[in-house]
Amino acid sequence: MKGLTEDHLYLDYFNQNADCVFPLHTSISLFLLSYCDCKTFRVFLVLPGETASDAQPKDKVFPKDLDICFIKRCQLPLVVQSCCLPAVVEKNGRFCRAGLAVVLRHIVQKTYEADPSKEDILELLGFKKTCLKACAEGFSKKHQENLLRLPLISSWFQRVQEVPGIKRAAAKCNMQFLPHQGSVSLSDEHMQFICTASDEPEEEHEDTSFIGGPRPTMTKLMKRGIEATFSPHPCPSWALDWDSLPAAVNPGEGKMSSDRAFRKQQQLNNMVALVKKLAKPGDKIVDFCSGGGHVGIVLAHVLPSCQIILVENKELSLTRAEERSSVLGLDNIWFIQANMDYFKGNFNIGVALHACGVATDMVIERCVKAHAAFVISPCCYGFIQNTAKFAFPQSHQFKEVLSYKEHMILCRFADQTAVQLPPERRQIGKHCMGLVDLDRAWGVEKCNYSAQVISMEPETCSPKNNLIVGVPI
């Protein structure tokens, strides 16, 4: 991948009976390239199998004036093999963007960079140009008399066809717009049901045994022999020699106060110490929710025989991390801008420093799927809630004692650890943090893991100073 002169865009396609059937994300990406008249990317269609002798698709299915190459899946760059398509790899070969929204946004931005006269395409971007605009759909009693099935999307579909360039791009892509069939009115009963359901959130079943506040909940657990327990730190005094490290490794090089930078160094001492005990030469280590790369860049510097992968969905943060790594000349680090679900690569160790709310549980889940060890520092316990993927409490030990509502009390009070709070209140917050993370640790043990909760040293380095360490058995 070294020496690229342009960004490479990788798209899926399916080959059936000598005809090409594009997945939706491929069709959307090709359409946007045509609409933007973008020549910045070299486009690769990825064959579904591992052989290059598959029947080539017919030319008529491709956008005109677009140079398209075909590759086997095994020929994908390694960084792309770790991601779901669509994906874009930058010229340097180590910065990858994956996922439809991220790729579409990048196409728009690169088109404008190449030709600032195409300022109108920036209208495709939403808030602060960091997301895509999209039509919203909803129902309201206020407009009940005008309620139609998907009225906003229906109206948008008609308007978008009148946008200059849309029909031209559709013609280049050999696409045809479906005739507008009109909107179908809903019955009064259906309309009343929708409005009632949308205006009044569904209530949870009342827990008649619930007793509010953290102390009754903690007491209830103590009666069953469950208390916040912290394992001894395996290397409490270990620390990097920050003065001897290159300046770009130091978190203080970013936009931090000296006090905050010092505490960040202490946090990194804990993360690096635990990872070094787990890592072996040749390991792949993924820094999830990497932000500006404080953890990943230090690991890449001190573990040159390991491959470090930063996964982060915020472009600006990841760009800053890449700039820092370039100054250091690191060649064992990749950058992937994507939501966590779009990263599918195998790895040996997963790390995350202050993963917010259920992001901690998402990282643990991803590590368990990869059968990888993990070192995670949770954060923002108050944002924890049941989702489609996770139900709390997680361990059978906690489920036998606490209801969901009681567990949420622990989560809310686990955020009461700020330094300006009274010491007794911070102590209760720390205890609640320990209980929430103990539930997480016990929950992962059913997946054949050994897991423990450890406090960072010194604890003053952060109000959120817990570490969950898991190792597959």
Side-chain angles (χ1 to χ4, degrees):
M1 288 301 296
K2 293 182 178 179
L4 292 182
T5 59
E6 56 195 346
D7 288 1
H8 286 187
L9 171 61
Y10 297 91
L11 302 170
D12 273 320
Y13 89 92
F14 305 134
N15 199 352
Q16 298 176 349
N17 300 324
D19 278 334
C20 178
V21 180
F22 290 137
L24 182 59
H25 62 71
T26 296
S27 296
I28 294 172
S29 301
L30 292 175
F31 180 86
L32 182 61
L33 286 172
S34 295
Y35 175 71
C36 295
D37 193 23
C38 180
K39 304 296 192 299
T40 306
F41 300 90
R42 188 176 183 189
V43 180
F44 293 84
L45 288 185
V46 183
L47 298 166
E50 297 296 340
T51 62
S53 60
D54 294 339
Q56 293 294 311
K58 298 177 181 178
D59 291 339
K60 67 180 183 180
V61 302
F62 296 117
K64 299 179 178 64
D65 303 325
L66 191 61
D67 182 24
I68 295 179
C69 304
F70 299 89
I71 64 170
K72 297 178 289 185
R73 190 161 295 276
C74 63
Q75 294 176 313
L76 283 171
L78 290 177
V79 66
V80 180
Q81 291 183 24
S82 298
C83 303
C84 296
L85 301 184
V88 172
V89 177
E90 286 193 358
K91 298 174 185 178
N92 60 25
R94 63 178 189 166
F95 196 119
C96 177
R97 292 172 168 85
L100 182 60
V102 170
V103 167
L104 296 182
R105 189 166 66 246
H106 187 60
I107 291 173
V108 172
Q109 292 168 337
K110 293 294 285 187
T111 301
Y112 176 70
E113 289 175 12
D115 186 357
S117 68
K118 297 180 178 179
E119 187 175 5
D120 58 313
I121 65 171
L122 295 179
E123 293 300 316
L124 296 171
L125 301 179
F127 182 67
K128 292 186 177 180
K129 310 301 182 187
T130 60
C131 62
L132 296 168
K133 283 183 181 175
C135 51
E137 193 61 79
F139 298 99
S140 168
K141 286 182 178 179
K142 182 178 180 181
H143 300 291
Q144 184 168 309
E145 65 277 8
N146 298 321
L147 186 63
L148 301 172
R149 188 188 303 271
L150 304 179
L152 299 180
I153 292 179
S154 177
S155 176
W156 168 84
F157 182 69
Q158 295 178 71
R159 293 197 314 273
V160 77
Q161 296 182 53
E162 304 305 320
V163 174
I166 289 292
K167 290 184 177 179
R168 170 183 54 80
K172 290 173 67 175
C173 293
N174 297 289
M175 293 182 179
Q176 294 182 344
F177 287 106
L178 292 174
H180 181 59
Q181 300 294 331
S183 300
V184 180
S185 298
L186 302 178
S187 67
D188 290 340
E189 292 181 0
H190 193 185
M191 191 158 50
Q192 183 178 3
F193 169 77
I194 292 173
C195 293
T196 302
S198 62
D199 289 346
E200 298 178 8
E202 182 179 353
E203 294 185 1
E204 299 177 10
H205 295 293
E206 187 67 24
D207 182 3
T208 56
S209 63
F210 172 72
I211 303 176
R215 293 185 186 277
T217 304
M218 291 189 294
T219 300
K220 190 174 181 181
L221 288 168
M222 288 177 60
K223 288 180 178 179
R224 299 290 292 271
I226 299 175
E227 295 189 63
T229 54
F230 296 90
S231 299
H233 198 300
C235 35
S237 59
W238 188 91
L240 288 160
D241 183 4
W242 290 99
D243 292 335
S244 67
L245 295 177
V249 176
N250 198 317
E253 289 298 298
K255 297 179 180 180
M256 285 188 189
S257 66
S258 58
D259 179 63
R260 186 183 173 199
F262 177 69
R263 287 186 285 110
K264 183 64 68 175
Q265 288 177 348
Q266 293 176 322
Q267 297 164 26
L268 294 174
N269 287 338
N270 284 269
M271 299 291 292
V272 174
L274 294 172
V275 172
K276 280 176 63 71
K277 289 181 67 67
L278 297 171
K280 305 181 299 297
D283 276 355
K284 286 185 178 180
I285 303 173
V286 181
D287 180 9
F288 291 101
C289 311
S290 67
H294 294 310
V295 177
I297 287 175
V298 175
L299 290 175
H301 183 77
V302 302
L303 297 172
S305 63
C306 294
Q307 179 69 44
I308 312 300
I309 306 170
L310 275 60
V311 179
E312 168 62 44
N313 63 5
K314 294 180 181 177
E315 182 177 26
L316 182 59
S317 297
L318 208 56
T319 300
R320 288 173 177 167
E322 185 190 25
E323 291 171 353
R324 289 175 60 197
S325 73
S326 296
V327 171
L328 293 166
L330 299 173
D331 59 3
N332 62 330
I333 188 167
W334 290 342
F335 306 87
I336 297 178
Q337 184 196 350
N339 289 334
M340 204 182 304
D341 289 343
Y342 284 97
F343 176 78
K344 62 175 184 179
N346 292 321
F347 59 99
N348 306 98
I349 303 172
V351 301
L353 177 58
H354 293 153
C356 184
V358 294
T360 287
D361 306 283
M362 293 173 66
V363 175
I364 292 175
E365 179 193 52
R366 189 65 191 82
C367 292
V368 170
K369 284 184 178 179
H371 203 60
F374 58 81
V375 179
I376 302 171
S377 171
C379 190
C380 303
Y381 293 79
F383 289 162
I384 295 173
Q385 60 181 343
N386 279 352
T387 67
K389 283 188 173 183
F390 307 108
F392 298 90
Q394 296 187 340
S395 67
H396 71 86
Q397 296 97 321
F398 274 68
K399 287 178 181 178
E400 291 176 353
V401 182
L402 298 184
S403 66
Y404 168 67
K405 193 171 182 179
E406 288 171 319
H407 191 77
M408 290 303 100
I409 287 291
L410 294 179
C411 295
R412 301 301 179 266
F413 278 87
D415 267 347
Q416 304 296 307
T417 56
V419 293
Q420 64 267 30
L421 295 175
E424 183 181 5
R425 192 168 171 184
R426 295 203 307 269
Q427 186 177 8
I428 292 175
K430 173 67 173 177
H431 195 82
C432 289
M433 279 174 52
L435 289 169
V436 173
D437 291 334
L438 179 63
D439 173 57
R440 285 165 157 161
W442 282 353
V444 79
E445 287 182 348
K446 65 178 181 289
C447 301
N448 294 320
Y449 268 70
S450 170
Q452 54 187 330
V453 182
I454 299 171
S455 280
M456 291 184 182
E457 293 288 346
E459 290 190 7
T460 54
C461 69
S462 173
K464 298 296 180 285
N465 50 35
N466 279 7
L467 291 164
I468 308 175
V469 181
V471 179
I473 300 175

